Amino acid sequence: DQHQKWLSLLPLSHIFEQIVGLWLPLKRGDSITYLKGLKGSAIFQALEEDHISMVVTVPRILQLMQKGIEREVEMSGKSELFYGLKSVEGFLPLPLRRRMFSQLRKRFKYLKFFIAGGAPLEPDVEKFWHEMGFPVVQGYGLTESCGIVACNLPNRRKLGSLGQVLPGIEA
């Protein structure tokens, strides 16, 4: 679809980052933002200020971002409200989930989804982001195969799944 803005959080020596975080956006004519470090504040600032719509990352960074959000909620004294809303949010359609948590939504205003790979994604981390209205599209690949072997698609994904094997590949 239209022009997207990607956030690169992985080193370019990582084959996953080269293919999904560099070559795919370049092929599409999209923009890529690179950060000097992986501080949570810098990531959140880039998401908001650079209007980031796609983030290519590894599960560990998603987990650290989740923990940061949960810490902020606890420090604000709104844990009961936050977890109360989260308990029902998973049952709501995506457009409605995106309207909840307005303070958090400001940071992720333009984000469509995360693309995760490079390691197993813990089900609770995937569920957290899914319930918050930010799908995580994950896949599986091997450096030896030049990257991606199987992947989900943003509009066809299943929680806990790595997606379908790509055409021309046996697994």
Side-chain angles (χ1 to χ4, degrees):
D1 57 1
Q2 77 273 10
H3 180 80
Q4 302 298 324
K5 295 186 177 186
W6 298 65
L7 178 61
S8 175
L9 298 177
L10 304 176
L12 286 169
S13 59
H14 197 291
I15 193 73
F16 173 57
E17 178 62 28
Q18 285 180 28
I19 293 171
V20 180
L22 176 65
W23 294 112
L24 178 60
L26 288 178
K27 180 182 183 300
R28 292 174 35 87
D30 293 343
S31 303
I32 308 168
T33 296
Y34 292 96
L35 301 177
K36 292 182 181 180
L38 289 180
K39 286 182 70 177
S41 59
I43 293 171
F44 288 132
Q45 183 178 356
L47 285 167
E48 189 174 348
E49 291 179 3
D50 296 344
H51 300 187
I52 300 297
S53 50
M54 314 285 186
V55 177
V56 179
T57 189
V58 291
R60 180 71 179 137
I61 294 175
L62 287 173
Q63 185 180 41
L64 292 172
M65 289 172 63
Q66 173 188 347
K67 297 299 179 202
I69 290 167
E70 291 172 338
R71 254 190 321 277
E72 282 185 31
V73 168
E74 287 175 29
M75 288 173 35
S76 73
K78 296 181 181 178
S79 294
E80 193 171 316
L81 175 63
F82 179 79
Y83 290 109
L85 288 172
K86 271 194 60 41
S87 69
V88 298
E89 188 176 34
F91 299 103
L92 301 174
L94 182 63
L96 207 51
R97 286 198 309 262
R98 287 180 175 257
R99 291 188 182 155
M100 299 173 80
F101 307 108
S102 59
Q103 289 298 101
L104 181 63
R105 287 294 315 156
K106 285 180 187 175
R107 289 184 178 166
F108 296 91
K109 184 176 181 178
Y110 304 95
L111 185 69
K112 293 185 177 183
F113 53 84
F114 292 102
I115 301 170
L121 178 62
E122 294 294 326
D124 63 320
V125 174
E126 181 179 18
K127 186 177 180 209
F128 173 87
W129 290 107
H130 171 76
E131 288 176 349
M132 296 297 290
F134 305 105
V136 179
V137 177
Q138 65 173 318
Y140 173 77
L142 300 163
T143 299
E144 299 83 2
S145 71
C146 195
I148 305 165
V149 172
C151 68
N152 279 300
L153 297 174
N155 58 348
R156 282 191 332 189
R157 61 185 181 78
K158 181 179 174 187
L159 291 179
S161 171
L162 293 173
Q164 295 184 334
V165 174
L166 298 177
I169 296 176
E170 291 183 31

